[in-house]
Amino acid sequence: MDFLQLSDRLIEKSTVRDKQQGDSAAVRDRNQTPADFSSIYSKDLLPTSGGEAMTRGFLQELVNILMGYISKSNQRSSKVLDFHHPHQLMEGLEGFSLSLPEQPETLEQILVDCRDTLKYGVSTGHPRFFNQLSSGLDVIGLAGEWLTSTANTNMFTYEVSPVFILMEDILLRKMQSIVGWSDDEGDGIFCPGGTISNLYSILVARFHFYPEVKTRGMGALPRLALFTSQHSHYSVKKSAAVLGMGSENVFVVKCDERGKMIPDELESSIAKAKNKGLVPFYVNATAGTTVYGAFDPFNDIADICHRHTLWMHVDAAWGGGLLMSDRHRTKLQGIERASSVTWNPHKMMGVPLQCSAILVKMKGLLQECNELGAEYLFQTDKPYDVSYDTGDKSIQCGRHVDAFKLWLMWKAKGSEGFGSQINKCLENAEYLYDQLQRRTDFELVFRHKPEHSNVCFWYIPPSLRGLPPGPERDSRLNQVAPQIKGRMMEKGSVMIGYQPLGDKVNFFRCVFSNPATQQEDIDFLLDEIAWLGHDI
């Protein structure tokens, strides 16, 4: 029985039950789905009286569109994208117009617009989409997102979001336990992405050392210094700029060839900051760097932070998922010593965007740092335990429900299922690494076996294979990946990202976070790159 047959059967059963209960004629006729939406408008849907049948028919048509897209996304014969340049989309394609009308359009046109929006977008759930750290399409997570949108509630108080608030609390406690913190410590909140989670870590670290900043501002503080590796995410510098500390006061610590922060260099950077009259207070370590997928030496960094009384944050936005794997969690050894952790389940765990958490070891600090006690929301005389009114821990007021889809996926997979999913993605990375070592038309950016699911490499076209290392070869090699990427997007067969890094010219970075990807997809990727770039 397929989904639509099951859906129809459920509707049929529901209709029988409604008849037995003596519901209205409109409800009894809910299976009479209108076949033609050309003269039906949004005003004809619920909450309009008698609009249930129309609403049911419209939403069923929308489900048909989504099911077709989901099915197509998992077919390797389909395109990852149907690429068009911005001006082409702006000008309109085959009746798909982005302009906004003065008069309402029919639901028939709305359904066409929904279909075209998916058609001209990128299929990030496709097994051959390797472009970003978040990919894949988990059906349970999708169901969770649908339910969240249907509930359409806010995450600031228990009174308007009782079940979701408790789910978030349970998830945060579970994640804190997996990090390695005890039951009597730990706090957290779900945030709109890893950048905001990292910003929270700096915000609470500064408040911990200098609580007067909340009322008196940065003028009451000394010049503060932050430290992060040269391979870390740019959000650390951005957060320092946003929080008024200045990006120039972020000291970038050297890394080894593999992309790991060098502890001795961190010590040197701290001494350098002090000699300049700055006051060190915060160190960002990374679990799974964005490009190389490297894991910093957390225990060594924790020792340094302890000696200098510094806040240690671990940005595990990308690598936190490995904590779910018994096989790979040892790569994060020492993370339990961190004062705060960023973890993005929308990456390696495959939760639909967005789903990111900031975990703080010191209980109550988030609340103290951010609370302002708005009386129209956070009254203290409510008829329940107001500690569950968690909205004042956030720098936001309105907050989307990001917890439910993760909760639902955890129920469906169990911790074991997430672990298997992550193992599969890292097995794909090892397979790609092995294939690249065997081929003479590709060259690895570094020889080390991948720690995470990142694999970085160059394609060497025939025209460059005889050139010796040097400026001329680098200059020409730098142009190879962008040209192949352009051809790849035009063809739409596969997507992979590229970038330069330090003295390394443009190279491909393949990342695996979609468990639907198979070895055949990896073979296809390499053959496609070679085919698209053979004449460069």
Side-chain angles (χ1 to χ4, degrees), residues 358-430:
I358 175 66
L359 309 176
V360 181
K361 196 171 191 176
M362 192 176 298
K363 193 181 292 290
L365 189 62
L366 267 172
Q367 185 81 19
E368 292 174 30
C369 177
N370 296 314
E371 69 177 341
L372 286 175
E375 292 182 347
Y376 70 94
L377 273 179
F378 306 116
Q379 305 93 340
T380 58
D381 53 358
K382 293 179 180 179
Y384 58 83
D385 181 355
V386 294
S387 68
Y388 287 104
D389 285 357
T390 56
D392 226 6
K393 293 195 297 186
S394 169
I395 57 176
Q396 302 167 249
C397 179
R399 193 161 61 91
H400 185 260
V401 178
D402 293 327
F404 177 70
K405 54 198 170 188
L406 173 57
W407 180 88
L408 200 65
M409 286 175 65
W410 215 310
K411 295 279 280 188
K413 296 174 185 286
S415 302
E416 183 181 279
F418 278 124
S420 298
Q421 180 174 309
I422 284 150
N423 291 343
K424 171 72 181 299
C425 290
L426 269 71
E427 286 167 9
N428 280 337
E430 290 182 17

Side-chain angles (χ1 to χ4, degrees), residues 252-273:
V252 177
V253 182
K254 291 180 182 177
C255 294
D256 61 18
E257 183 192 27
R258 181 61 188 83
K260 298 171 178 289
M261 184 190 289
I262 302 170
D264 287 346
E265 293 290 341
L266 175 58
E267 283 275 19
S268 298
S269 296
I270 292 170
K272 182 179 177 182

Side-chain angles (χ1 to χ4, degrees), residues 394 455 503:
S394 169
V455 184
D503 61 351

Side-chain angles (χ1 to χ4, degrees), residues 9 14 16 29 35 42 46 77 88 96 111 140 145 162 248 255 261 279 333 364 395 433 439 461 491 493 519:
R9 180 169 294 186
S14 178
V16 170
D29 294 339
S42 64
L46 289 173
S77 58
Q88 293 174 304
F96 181 46
L111 289 168
I140 301 297
E145 192 68 76
E248 289 184 0
C255 294
M261 184 190 289
V279 178
Q333 190 171 6
I395 57 176
Y433 172 78
R439 295 185 61 148
K491 188 175 180 183
S493 56
Q519 290 183 1

Side-chain angles (χ1 to χ4, degrees), residues 441-505:
D441 49 348
F442 289 88
E443 187 177 311
L444 286 158
V445 172
F446 52 87
R447 289 288 171 184
H448 304 276
K449 185 177 178 179
E451 278 192 298
H452 203 344
S453 75
N454 309 48
V455 184
C456 302
F457 58 91
W458 291 284
Y459 170 68
I460 314 298
S463 64
L464 298 186
R465 289 174 200 165
L467 283 180
E472 182 187 351
R473 184 180 186 271
D474 284 349
S475 176
R476 292 175 62 181
L477 183 59
N478 191 52
Q479 302 172 42
V480 172
Q483 289 186 56
I484 292 175
K485 178 66 177 280
R487 295 175 180 183
M488 187 181 286
M489 291 182 70
E490 291 283 352
K491 188 175 180 183
S493 56
V494 65
M495 276 191 78
I496 182 175
Y498 73 87
Q499 67 283 302
L501 186 66
D503 61 351
K504 306 284 196 302
V505 299

Side-chain angles (χ1 to χ4, degrees), residues 43-287:
K43 65 180 177 60
D44 300 315
L45 303 178
L46 289 173
T48 298
S49 177
E52 184 169 340
M54 296 289 189
T55 301
R56 183 174 296 276
F58 172 71
L59 291 178
Q60 186 63 60
E61 282 300 309
L62 183 61
V63 168
N64 292 344
I65 291 170
L66 296 175
M67 281 302 303
Y69 177 79
I70 294 167
S71 177
K72 190 175 180 181
S73 292
N74 284 281
Q75 296 171 5
R76 287 166 173 80
S77 58
S78 67
K79 286 186 172 185
V80 177
L81 77 159
D82 183 6
F83 178 74
H84 293 83
H85 290 281
H87 71 88
Q88 293 174 304
L89 286 173
M90 291 297 289
E91 291 165 3
L93 289 167
E94 301 173 344
F96 181 46
S97 173
L98 297 177
S99 62
L100 297 173
E102 294 299 323
Q103 300 300 318
E105 294 183 344
T106 66
L107 294 188
E108 181 178 88
Q109 182 60 50
I110 299 305
L111 289 168
V112 169
D113 289 342
C114 288
R115 188 178 291 110
D116 287 345
T117 297
L118 293 173
K119 175 184 177 183
Y120 295 119
V122 177
S123 179
T124 60
H126 197 289
R128 293 174 179 170
F129 176 84
F130 308 106
N131 210 71
Q132 258 70 50
L133 303 183
S134 52
S135 66
L137 181 59
D138 188 277
V139 174
I140 301 297
L142 177 64
E145 192 68 76
W146 287 353
L147 187 145
T148 296
S149 294
T150 302
N152 193 33
T153 192
N154 211 315
M155 285 292 284
F156 37 51
T157 61
Y158 179 85
E159 68 181 275
V160 297
S161 192
V163 181
F164 294 139
I165 288 281
L166 295 180
M167 286 175 173
E168 181 177 62
D169 181 64
I170 288 167
L171 280 167
L172 291 168
R173 290 175 186 270
K174 183 76 169 178
M175 294 167 78
Q176 290 154 16
S177 172
I178 291 169
V179 166
W181 296 342
S182 63
D183 292 340
D184 61 345
E185 58 188 2
D187 199 353
I189 199 164
F190 279 84
C191 309
T195 291
I196 302 301
S197 293
N198 286 342
L199 184 147
Y200 268 103
S201 72
I202 300 173
L203 182 70
V204 295
R206 183 179 65 178
F207 178 82
H208 171 64
F209 290 114
Y210 302 98
E212 64 270 25
V213 71
K214 183 174 179 179
T215 52
R216 297 174 60 195
M218 282 297 295
L221 274 57
R223 228 175 119 204
L224 300 178
L226 307 82
F227 304 86
T228 193
S229 88
Q230 63 186 141
H231 283 245
S232 67
H233 195 260
Y234 69 88
S235 58
V236 177
K237 281 192 173 183
K238 177 170 281 192
S239 297
V242 169
L243 294 172
M245 287 176 278
S247 60
E248 289 184 0
N249 294 326
V250 178
F251 286 73
V252 177
V253 182
K254 291 180 182 177
C255 294
D256 61 18
E257 183 192 27
R258 181 61 188 83
K260 298 171 178 289
M261 184 190 289
I262 302 170
D264 287 346
E265 293 290 341
L266 175 58
E267 283 275 19
S268 298
S269 296
I270 292 170
K272 182 179 177 182
K274 289 180 177 179
N275 289 337
K276 287 186 172 184
L278 278 72
V279 178
F281 83 106
Y282 172 98
V283 176
N284 174 69
T286 308

